[in-house]
Amino acid sequence: MYTVLVTGSRGKTGRAVLDALKDHPGFRLIGASSKPADASQVRLDWGDKATWATALSGVDALYLVKPTDNLTDPAAPDVGDKVRAFLATSRSLKRVVLLSEIGASGRDESLDERRVERAVEESGTEWTILQPNWFMQNFSDASFYLPAVKSGGTISVPTAGKPTSFIDTRDIADVVATALARGGHGQRTYTLTGPEAYTWSDALAMISEAGGRRVTYVDIALEDFLTNPKITALPEKVRAHYRGVYDLLSSDAAGAVTGHVEAVLGRPARGFKAFVEENAALWRA
Ligand SMILES: NC(=O)c1ccc[n+]([C@@H]2O[C@H](COP(=O)([O-])OP(=O)(O)OC[C@H]3O[C@@H](n4cnc5c(N)ncnc54)[C@H](OP(=O)(O)O)[C@@H]3O)[C@@H](O)[C@H]2O)c1
């Protein structure tokens, strides 16, 4: 048996990774959660080191969604050190696939996303780093934009009118499954995008039409976003993180189509129109 631990297993990509691997012969899948729903999941809490060894026991391969508690808790230990210590807890780990984010490679080395990438790169395992663009599933996630879509609300994000090549999380999961199950993708970093790019205005027009309620897009200027009192009240590292994320989203890089999904999977990435059609009933409910 080849044991795979999937972190963030109740989240948008972790769920899809479990689904993508579920029929793989010879695999034992363990979903990790800080609040396990049942006995099939193991408790892994980034803030509670005592949970790490049990979660990693006998694990051969890991899907890693990085800790974010350091973004909300200024007193939390450095996230790079935390991931380094977590990986070092295991004696059995051979493969790691990390969920990073688009543009992370170009950001300051002191920022969390690069610190986590470096911890994985230096782990001595066969690693693959995935840098996906914004997820399509943000629009169908109850803790993200779903409430705004269902209520015909407003979504305010700085993009400077640039298009985004949104990616379907099921494609991320299929890449994760391929890298974890088949190997051959070690020591590589992939930028994962959808097959085409849409401005947020066009994307929300498509969603509004499918969902039957007008969702308004507000293209807030990056500086206005960063100087909003709600943002200035946040710790400096959180503001630096937001600046990196929205700088990228407001640049031509956000609309680039890389073809890395197709290169790994041998089939095209799922498109935004199909995602919209699939979710029309959810948005209309
Ligand atoms: N959303 C996007 O468009 C996007 C794009 C590119 C990259 N990313 C990256 O994707 C990652 C996930 O972001 P997301 O917004 O999509 O969230 P998500 O994966 O849908 O949810 C976050 C997951 O983290 C787990 N978690 C929360 N607190 C935890 C803790 N203390 N210990 C262990 N696990 C904990 C949660 O599981 P439990 O509550 O069950 O513990 C949840 O499954 C981030 O690293 C982000 O940078 C996101």
Side-chain angles (χ1 to χ4, degrees), residues 37-103:
D38 56 51
S40 72
Q41 296 179 330
V42 68
R43 182 162 173 259
L44 169 70
D45 186 338
W46 294 117
D48 181 0
K49 255 182 144 171
T51 63
W52 297 2
T54 309
L56 281 168
S57 173
V59 167
D60 298 290
L62 170 71
Y63 173 59
L64 180 61
V65 178
K66 64 181 178 293
T68 51
D69 51 339
N70 58 303
L71 279 182
T72 47
D73 175 10
D78 174 83
V79 68
D81 292 344
K82 185 179 288 188
V83 168
R84 214 174 284 275
F86 176 71
L87 297 175
T89 304
S90 170
R91 298 232 169 94
S92 52
L93 198 57
K94 298 164 203 70
R95 244 174 225 167
V96 178
V97 176
L98 169 68
L99 181 73
S100 186
E101 52 199 58
I102 190 166

Side-chain angles (χ1 to χ4, degrees), residues 7-15 32-37 41 43-48 51-52 63-69 71 82 98-102 107 113 130-138 141 143-145 166-167 169 172 200 241 245:
T7 65
S9 66
R10 302 195 310 164
K12 287 187 282 300
T13 61
R15 256 193 334 255
S33 167
S34 62
K35 305 178 257 325
Q41 296 179 330
R43 182 162 173 259
L44 169 70
D45 186 338
W46 294 117
D48 181 0
T51 63
W52 297 2
Y63 173 59
L64 180 61
V65 178
K66 64 181 178 293
T68 51
D69 51 339
L71 279 182
K82 185 179 288 188
L98 169 68
L99 181 73
S100 186
E101 52 199 58
I102 190 166
R107 292 194 198 137
E113 42 276 31
L130 307 182
Q131 297 179 336
N133 209 338
W134 281 60
F135 305 161
M136 296 179 193
Q137 277 74 9
N138 292 338
D141 183 348
S143 59
F144 225 115
Y145 296 138
F166 296 100
I167 179 149
T169 53
I172 300 174
W200 282 60
H241 170 77
V245 168

Side-chain angles (χ1 to χ4, degrees), residues 33-276:
S33 167
S34 62
K35 305 178 257 325
D38 56 51
S40 72
Q41 296 179 330
V42 68
R43 182 162 173 259
L44 169 70
D45 186 338
W46 294 117
D48 181 0
K49 255 182 144 171
T51 63
W52 297 2
T54 309
L56 281 168
S57 173
V59 167
D60 298 290
L62 170 71
Y63 173 59
L64 180 61
V65 178
K66 64 181 178 293
T68 51
D69 51 339
N70 58 303
L71 279 182
T72 47
D73 175 10
D78 174 83
V79 68
D81 292 344
K82 185 179 288 188
V83 168
R84 214 174 284 275
F86 176 71
L87 297 175
T89 304
S90 170
R91 298 232 169 94
S92 52
L93 198 57
K94 298 164 203 70
R95 244 174 225 167
V96 178
V97 176
L98 169 68
L99 181 73
S100 186
E101 52 199 58
I102 190 166
S105 304
R107 292 194 198 137
D108 193 293
E109 289 290 309
S110 67
L111 289 179
D112 286 349
E113 42 276 31
R114 267 306 291 152
R115 295 180 73 79
V116 172
E117 287 190 349
R118 277 215 314 282
V120 169
E121 287 162 2
E122 291 161 16
S123 64
T125 63
E126 183 188 305
W127 55 261
T128 308
I129 294 177
L130 307 182
Q131 297 179 336
N133 209 338
W134 281 60
F135 305 161
M136 296 179 193
Q137 277 74 9
N138 292 338
F139 298 108
S140 56
D141 183 348
S143 59
F144 225 115
Y145 296 138
L146 181 61
V149 173
K150 288 187 81 152
S151 65
T154 296
I155 294 180
S156 177
V157 178
T159 69
K162 301 285 186 185
T164 300
S165 51
F166 296 100
I167 179 149
D168 191 309
T169 53
R170 292 168 296 181
D171 283 338
I172 300 174
D174 287 345
V175 171
V176 173
T178 302
L180 286 178
R182 296 212 195 123
H185 298 280
Q187 298 15 67
R188 295 199 195 162
T189 297
Y190 296 119
T191 299
L192 303 181
T193 71
E196 74 270 291
Y198 294 91
T199 62
W200 282 60
S201 186
D202 287 348
L204 286 176
M206 289 162 71
I207 288 172
S208 299
E209 194 182 336
R213 289 182 196 87
R214 184 174 146 71
V215 191
T216 307
Y217 172 59
V218 176
D219 194 355
I220 184 173
L222 180 54
E223 287 313 317
D224 290 346
F225 174 84
L226 291 171
T227 53
N228 180 306
K230 277 190 196 149
I231 302 295
T232 54
L234 296 171
E236 167 54 29
K237 64 182 170 186
V238 183
R239 283 183 282 131
H241 170 77
Y242 279 142
R243 182 177 283 284
V245 168
Y246 293 118
D247 258 345
L248 186 289
L249 202 59
S250 305
S251 75
D252 291 333
V257 172
T258 63
H260 291 182
V261 169
E262 186 158 3
V264 174
L265 300 180
R267 58 143 179 94
R270 292 168 169 96
F272 193 72
K273 282 185 187 145
F275 166 79
V276 169

